[in-house]
Amino acid sequence: MIDKVESVWDAVGNTPLIRIKSLSEITGCSIYGKAEFLNPGGSIKDRAAKGIIKEGEESGDLQPGGTIVEGTAGNTGTGLATLAAERGYNVIISVPETQSDEKFQTLEALGAEIRKIGSYSFDDERHYYHQGRIIAGEIEGGFWADQFNNLANYRVHYETTGTEIWEQTEHEIDILTLAAGTGGTIAGVSNYLKEQDENVSVVLADPQGSGLLSYFRTGEMHGEGSSVTEGIGITRLTSNFEKARIDSGMRVTDQNMIDRLYHIARYDGLLIGTSSAVNLYTAYRLGIDNRNSGKTIVTFICDHGSRYQSRIFNPRWLEEQNLTPQPLDS
Ligand code: PMP
């Protein structure tokens, strides 16, 4: 039985590990997805938000009634706003103005203030990421969350996500596979699991356009093209990703991703987001490799597909992207 909890804060984490029946049957492996969409803010980023706020409170950098600021286009903003509401913090999110209205509306409903920022290259101080730091520095009680380089992100995954997976699998885990955005999840979980059992193999799933796979293989950050996936893939090295312990990697195209997304919806009854579909694609590919026969493979369902409703479940949008979902037959 799951415990009663006294706050939204305490409801973060302790997510189930769900066996993905269709992929387990096709591959003969045991494939599990950690159901992070069940966090109160709806994604894996609630954990990072909690770790960052907790360490900010402990260090005194985040004062009572203070203002948490972050440049983010995605789930981290929702996670921060979700947890800040209950704890009495203000939240300012700097967001690229190109993001969907739904995103702005959700953040505003949670009480966050939105600063819409134009499109600038990362080198430009006007980029929404840098604006997070600048805004935090300008206001009284400002606290920059800095999810990319704040190692509270890595630590919370080491302490919670990693330990949960180790216990839930009853120490029987052969492969961990997932994509990275900030790298906090892969860094925290890979370190924890490898400290328990050095034979756990960690496979980086990397969407097209991301530079992480080339960085892992050659030491150079090189990404070609772009991807429709959100929250994952990056072309710069972050302090969180730097700590990840990775054994191998796999490129995942948008077509690979969308096929798996539709397959999981149809045969497992799970509507998953795009990063989760990337993760489950690599889990599937690893599972059909004879060398991995019968192994236990763990990955992440980072958020729910409903978050991307107007895109991934919209035939017109799919057509514009040249994507035709082709789920497997069972
Ligand atoms: N999936 C989704 C949907 C996300 O929002 C993120 C965070 N950017 C990730 C995966 C990647 O997590 P991390 O930042 O810990 O690498």
Side-chain angles (χ1 to χ4, degrees):
M1 202 179 81
I2 296 182
D3 296 337
K4 177 175 73 164
V5 292
E6 299 300 330
S7 60
V8 171
W9 178 265
D10 288 334
V12 176
N14 282 320
T15 53
L17 201 55
I18 303 179
R19 182 180 169 90
I20 309 297
K21 187 162 173 273
S22 70
L23 298 184
S24 298
E25 281 175 1
I26 295 168
T27 59
C29 289
S30 292
I31 297 184
Y32 289 92
K34 188 127 170 84
E36 293 298 305
F37 61 92
L38 293 174
N39 281 306
S43 88
I44 194 161
K45 298 308 296 201
D46 286 11
R47 292 187 192 256
K50 185 171 172 175
I52 288 168
I53 293 173
K54 181 170 152 276
E55 289 198 16
E57 288 173 347
E58 284 164 2
S59 68
D61 290 343
L62 177 57
Q63 289 290 316
T67 300
I68 303 165
V69 188
E70 182 69 332
T72 165
N75 286 323
T76 304
T78 308
L80 288 169
T82 297
L83 297 178
E86 194 183 60
R87 291 175 101 71
Y89 299 117
N90 306 306
V91 173
I92 299 177
I93 304 290
S94 63
V95 196
E97 61 190 1
T98 50
Q99 296 296 304
S100 69
D101 283 344
E102 283 122 293
K103 273 191 188 161
F104 299 133
Q105 287 157 356
T106 315
L107 288 168
E108 276 168 350
L110 289 165
E113 186 189 323
I114 308 292
R115 302 273 177 92
K116 293 187 189 175
I117 312 283
S119 281
Y120 300 100
S121 72
F122 189 76
D123 306 334
D124 192 318
E125 288 284 280
R126 289 170 296 179
H127 186 280
Y128 70 92
Y129 168 80
H130 304 300
Q131 283 301 307
R133 185 189 72 244
I134 292 165
I135 295 165
E138 282 169 352
I139 54 175
E140 177 88 30
F143 170 79
W144 183 35
D146 192 16
Q147 58 169 330
F148 291 99
N149 296 312
N150 183 341
L151 292 177
N153 179 0
Y154 151 79
R155 281 187 285 269
V156 74
H157 284 293
Y158 178 94
E159 286 162 12
T160 72
T161 328
T163 55
E164 287 169 32
I165 291 173
W166 184 240
E167 282 165 25
Q168 287 169 316
T169 55
E170 296 172 352
H171 311 177
E172 300 277 331
I173 166 170
D174 301 300
I175 303 174
L176 172 79
T177 182
L178 70 154
T182 64
T185 313
I186 197 166
V189 178
S190 65
N191 275 281
Y192 184 83
L193 293 178
K194 279 178 177 286
E195 282 171 24
Q196 312 315 308
D197 177 357
E198 63 188 24
N199 295 319
V200 174
S201 166
V202 178
V203 183
L204 171 73
D206 211 32
Q208 59 193 42
S210 174
L212 294 177
L213 188 61
S214 84
Y215 177 78
F216 167 71
R217 286 182 177 156
T218 67
E220 287 199 18
M221 207 41 100
H222 180 65
E224 244 168 56
S226 63
S227 168
V228 301
T229 56
E230 293 183 37
I232 52 170
I234 189 166
T235 48
R236 61 179 196 276
L237 187 59
T238 65
S239 305
N240 278 296
F241 185 80
E242 241 178 337
K243 293 188 89 65
R245 293 175 65 184
I246 294 168
D247 299 296
S248 62
M250 203 184 286
R251 173 70 70 220
V252 183
T253 67
D254 283 348
Q255 185 63 50
N256 299 149
M257 178 281 293
I258 205 79
D259 291 347
R260 204 56 44 233
L261 191 144
Y262 271 74
H263 179 92
I264 300 295
R266 171 70 183 79
Y267 295 103
D268 297 282
L270 284 172
L271 293 180
I272 61 174
T274 51
S275 69
S276 316
V278 165
N279 290 345
L280 282 165
Y281 175 79
T282 50
Y284 157 73
R285 277 288 305 278
L286 291 161
I288 56 174
D289 185 330
N290 288 338
R291 286 169 296 184
N292 295 328
S293 155
K295 288 190 174 168
T296 298
I297 304 174
V298 173
T299 190
F300 286 84
I301 306 177
C302 303
D303 66 1
H304 199 261
S306 56
R307 220 154 246 199
Y308 311 92
Q309 184 85 26
S310 59
R311 306 179 72 200
I312 55 181
F313 301 122
N314 172 358
R316 194 141 35 97
W317 182 85
L318 287 172
E319 209 178 299
E320 281 163 17
Q321 311 302 322
N322 270 326
L323 293 172
T324 309
Q326 292 163 338
L328 299 167
D329 287 338
S330 61

